[in-house]
Amino acid sequence: MKSSSRTVQKEATRAAILQSALLVFSERGFDGSSTRDIAAHAGVHHALIKYHFGSKDTLWRAAVTFLFERQAAEMSFDMPPGKLDTRQQRRDYARLVLRHYVLYCARHPEHARLMMQESLRDSERLQWATDTFIAGIARGSERFVRMLQREGVLPDVSVPALVYIIVGAAQPFYTLAPEVRRVWGIDPAADSVIAAHIDALLAVLVR
Amino acid sequence: MKSSSRTVQKEATRAAILQSALLVFSERGFDGSSTRDIAAHAGVHHALIKYHFGSKDTLWRAAVTFLFERQAAEMSFDMPPGKLDTRQQRRDYARLVLRHYVLYCARHPEHARLMMQESLRDSERLQWATDTFIAGIARGSERFVRMLQREGVLPDVSVPALVYIIVGAAQPFYTLAPEVRRVWGIDPAADSVIAAHIDALLAVLVR
DNA sequence: ATTTTCATTATACATACGGCTAATGAAATT
DNA sequence: AATTTCATTAGCCGTATGTATAATGAAAAT
């Protein structure tokens, strides 16, 4: 583990490019983003993108990998915190998971923004992202939804439709924050607004 | 009202460019779309875009105008079909409106795709779209939601949050259709899948 | 039949793009 | 102190972009 001043600076540059890529890709999409813009926003020369990441495509994949690894780190709900014997316990668990998911969406709106842009049309990038990350998360979501259906917390309807209803109820309020600010005059980044959105989402989804 | 063969052909060309612009803008966003791509997809020379629409920006505005005028034409629910005296009548009206909105999203996924791309970040285009179209629709949605809240059909929580929950529950299943196909192996354009999604959405939202 | 109109095409231009090679220079190594 | 390493920068290449102007030619008007 080298930590010479040059290595530290190198990693800082790499991280700056990655964060800049997250922002630009999430706001303009892959085709609409330019490596020169990403480099300029990171304050480095555009040739460094090839040096650190190889190509625009590889940089995009590195950005997506960062997003899903962070999500996995911040949303580790594979094992419920306690026992889930009673219906009330499962309801509370559902509320807990949904609350944390909404908070994640509010904290990191660029995640859903970036993936949404890529899911609008089929592509090799979408195929890679689904195979590498999304398919596994989808299976976890399916188990989560089916458990809540068995318990009567969610209605017994199409599981894929339910998953997209839940995710769609959570994400757009934050991914479309610029529109929300202009149209409704409120800021989805404010804690009180987030709390109100969580209350609304739980009131609608968890019965 | 001229209808000479030249005028007819001119309008056909204009319409072809507009439809092509809807598709390309909705899949790649404004910055990711090129006027040459749009023209090639419409089968015309790219200089015709300047001739018929003035500029890329004006073409985008014409496309958005087309989308919202079509939505207004296909979603004329300002006046309920019958009287809304009883709670059951208001529930039925809510179901009717939501069903038709989901069907609109399924029929024309490019509408939400295009607007979503523009709502991810603030811009002059977003400002124009919100001032010209979205603000008015938002006020209508607010009235709709408040009526259902008074009747106990929707919970008494934050109205903007509820609006985005409803819209988010309806749109992504169709805007993100390529992802749905890859991850779940189902086609959100199929009638049976749409019907299942409507059932799920109504079961969750209308109590 | 001749002229005019105008939808369409050809072409040009300055800029921006992704990707690449060579040069640079400070830190690390010898 | 001399040499090597390598993160960073400068600059070029072929292509693509948005926009503008001139040329074309068939339909419309005279």
Side-chain angles (χ1 to χ4, degrees):
Chain A
M1 184 191 288
K2 298 192 295 184
S3 63
S4 57
S5 80
R6 209 161 47 163
T7 312
V8 170
Q9 180 54 36
K10 180 185 179 182
E11 280 310 306
T13 299
R14 203 192 124 96
I17 293 174
L18 194 68
Q19 290 303 313
S20 176
L22 284 176
L23 186 73
V24 176
F25 278 141
S26 68
E27 290 189 349
R28 298 171 189 259
F30 184 84
D31 291 327
S33 303
S34 84
T35 55
R36 282 171 160 86
D37 266 359
I38 294 171
H41 191 271
V44 300
H45 195 273
H46 72 266
L48 279 181
I49 287 182
K50 175 183 164 59
Y51 182 79
H52 284 282
F53 294 94
S55 72
K56 184 185 182 182
D57 198 80
T58 319
L59 172 60
W60 185 87
R61 281 172 161 78
V64 171
T65 302
F66 172 87
L67 287 176
F68 280 101
E69 287 180 350
R70 183 179 60 185
Q71 184 184 29
E74 296 189 16
M75 290 283 301
S76 52
F77 284 105
D78 294 332
M79 40 197 66
K83 52 192 180 320
L84 295 181
D85 299 328
T86 70
R87 179 165 187 270
Q88 188 56 44
Q89 282 174 336
R90 304 214 185 190
R91 278 174 50 115
D92 289 342
Y93 178 60
R95 290 178 188 275
L96 181 73
V97 172
L98 290 177
R99 179 186 305 272
H100 277 252
Y101 181 61
V102 172
L103 286 172
Y104 177 83
C105 291
R107 242 192 333 266
H108 309 296
E110 75 279 4
H111 184 151
R113 282 192 191 124
L114 199 155
M115 287 314 303
M116 218 171 46
Q117 306 238 26
E118 212 58 36
S119 299
L120 298 176
R121 64 192 173 104
D122 207 1
S123 69
E124 220 168 313
R125 286 189 302 277
L126 176 61
Q127 181 175 356
W128 172 83
T130 54
D131 293 351
T132 311
F133 301 108
I134 305 176
I137 294 176
R139 271 182 227 109
S141 308
E142 188 175 355
R143 277 200 306 274
F144 179 71
V145 165
R146 287 193 191 282
M147 178 194 78
L148 298 178
Q149 283 182 322
R150 277 195 304 272
E151 209 64 20
V153 176
L154 287 177
D156 196 24
V157 291
S158 162
V159 172
L162 258 186
V163 169
Y164 276 85
I165 286 172
I166 294 172
V167 170
Q171 287 180 356
F173 196 59
Y174 306 99
T175 56
L176 310 183
E179 180 193 298
V180 176
R181 292 192 190 94
R182 285 212 171 272
V183 174
W184 299 91
I186 58 176
D187 182 7
D191 287 343
S192 60
V193 177
I194 297 173
H197 179 246
I198 291 177
D199 288 343
L201 185 132
L202 295 182
V204 168
L205 289 182
V206 182
R207 59 181 62 182
Chain B
M1 184 191 290
K2 297 191 297 183
S3 64
S4 56
S5 80
R6 212 164 40 165
T7 312
V8 170
Q9 180 54 36
K10 179 185 179 181
E11 280 310 305
T13 300
R14 204 193 124 96
I17 293 174
L18 194 69
Q19 290 303 313
S20 176
L22 284 176
L23 186 73
V24 176
F25 278 141
S26 69
E27 290 189 349
R28 298 170 189 261
F30 185 83
D31 291 326
S33 303
S34 84
T35 55
R36 281 171 162 87
D37 266 358
I38 293 171
H41 191 272
V44 301
H45 196 273
H46 72 267
L48 280 181
I49 287 183
K50 175 180 165 58
Y51 182 78
H52 283 282
F53 294 94
S55 72
K56 184 185 182 184
D57 198 79
T58 319
L59 171 60
W60 185 88
R61 283 171 159 79
V64 171
T65 302
F66 172 87
L67 287 176
F68 279 101
E69 287 180 350
R70 184 179 60 185
Q71 183 184 29
E74 295 189 17
M75 290 282 301
S76 51
F77 284 105
D78 293 332
M79 40 197 66
K83 53 193 179 319
L84 295 181
D85 299 328
T86 70
R87 178 165 187 271
Q88 187 58 43
Q89 281 175 336
R90 305 216 183 188
R91 277 174 50 113
D92 289 343
Y93 178 59
R95 289 179 188 274
L96 181 73
V97 171
L98 290 176
R99 178 187 305 272
H100 278 252
Y101 181 61
V102 172
L103 287 172
Y104 177 82
C105 291
R107 243 193 330 267
H108 309 297
E110 74 280 2
H111 184 151
R113 282 193 190 121
L114 198 154
M115 287 315 302
M116 217 172 47
Q117 305 237 28
E118 212 57 36
S119 299
L120 298 176
R121 65 192 172 101
D122 207 2
S123 69
E124 218 168 315
R125 287 189 301 278
L126 176 61
Q127 180 175 358
W128 172 82
T130 53
D131 292 351
T132 312
F133 301 108
I134 305 177
I137 295 177
R139 272 183 226 107
S141 307
E142 188 174 356
R143 277 200 306 274
F144 178 70
V145 165
R146 287 194 191 280
M147 178 195 78
L148 297 178
Q149 283 182 323
R150 277 196 304 273
E151 208 65 21
V153 177
L154 287 178
D156 195 24
V157 291
S158 162
V159 172
L162 257 187
V163 169
Y164 277 85
I165 286 172
I166 294 172
V167 170
Q171 287 180 355
F173 195 60
Y174 306 99
T175 56
L176 310 183
E179 180 192 298
V180 175
R181 292 192 189 94
R182 285 213 171 272
V183 173
W184 299 91
I186 58 175
D187 182 8
D191 287 342
S192 60
V193 177
I194 297 173
H197 180 246
I198 292 176
D199 287 343
L201 187 132
L202 294 182
V204 169
L205 289 182
V206 183
R207 57 184 61 182

